[in-house]
Amino acid sequence: MKNFKRFAALFVIGALAFSLAACGKGNTGNNTETEAATEASKDVTPEVGADTMGGKLWNAFLEAAAEDGATAESVANKLSTNEVILFMPMVMEAEEGLLAGFDNAEIKGFKSGYMFAPMISSIAFVNYVFELEDGADAAAFIKTLTDNANPAWNVCVQADQTVAGSKGNLVFFAMCPENLE
């Protein structure tokens, strides 16, 4: 029985290693969008095509974030119902620490956060909306997100776009396909 347990453990480890090697990490950063902080507002605006999934969600974020009383939760819920979302999303609160899409980096420094992603799917998609404390450095927080993002976090699929920006104290972060069609 002891040898069987060892064999089973080695088999599982071997299968996992093969799976990881076959999928590859693939985090080349080629699709990471650049950000530019505007001097007047300190908002961070990503460079993203308006006709892509990331661009459409970014524009929807800007609309939702501009509403009176907008919170991370209200914006995430609104984004999850956007017409570009062709899957059943699951919106959940995000707590500081290890978050999906960031490998082993702990994401900290936000007041509240919400994420949504497909309930069950092989789509490389995850979207976060974070609320920072008033006066927090959104550009630094976004840099932490983009520096630690892994577009290939989801087994055997990789996001085409990484889009990150901010409006006021709300931060948008998405890793997604360019289109779901």
Side-chain angles (χ1 to χ4, degrees):
M1 188 64 155
K2 192 180 212 182
N3 286 336
F4 177 75
K5 287 182 181 179
R6 285 183 184 160
F7 174 77
L10 288 173
F11 178 78
V12 169
I13 291 169
L16 180 60
F18 178 78
S19 152
L20 291 174
C23 295
K25 187 167 178 165
N27 188 7
T28 61
N30 293 339
N31 293 313
T32 301
E33 304 299 330
T34 59
E35 308 87 30
T38 60
E39 286 301 306
S41 65
K42 300 296 183 195
D43 291 340
V44 177
T45 303
E47 294 178 20
V48 60
D51 60 337
T52 65
M53 181 180 224
K56 290 174 183 176
L57 288 171
W58 167 251
N59 288 327
F61 165 81
L62 290 174
E63 271 184 41
E67 293 178 4
D68 285 340
T71 64
E73 181 178 19
S74 69
V75 173
N77 280 317
K78 188 160 213 158
L79 290 176
S80 73
T81 63
N82 189 284
E83 65 186 18
V84 300
I85 304 298
L86 302 177
F87 52 81
M88 182 177 282
M90 176 176 56
V91 179
M92 323 182 259
E93 188 171 9
E95 296 180 5
E96 290 185 330
L98 298 174
L99 300 176
F102 297 102
D103 290 338
N104 292 323
E106 289 194 21
I107 305 301
K108 298 180 179 183
F110 56 93
K111 181 177 168 181
S112 68
Y114 286 82
M115 66 89 65
F116 68 94
M119 279 189 180
I120 300 174
S121 182
S122 62
I123 300 169
F125 180 96
V126 66
N127 196 144
Y128 290 94
V129 179
F130 298 100
E131 184 176 352
L132 305 180
E133 295 288 346
D134 290 336
D137 186 348
F141 182 74
I142 289 169
K143 182 169 177 18
T144 297
L145 296 177
T146 57
D147 285 353
N148 291 293
N150 177 3
W153 85 99
N154 203 357
V155 178
C156 291
V157 294
Q158 180 170 330
D160 299 325
Q161 297 183 294
T162 300
V163 182
S166 66
K167 178 75 175 158
N169 65 341
L170 294 175
V171 172
F172 172 89
F173 179 86
M175 288 190 288
C176 60
E178 282 194 31
N179 295 295
L180 278 180
E181 299 169 356

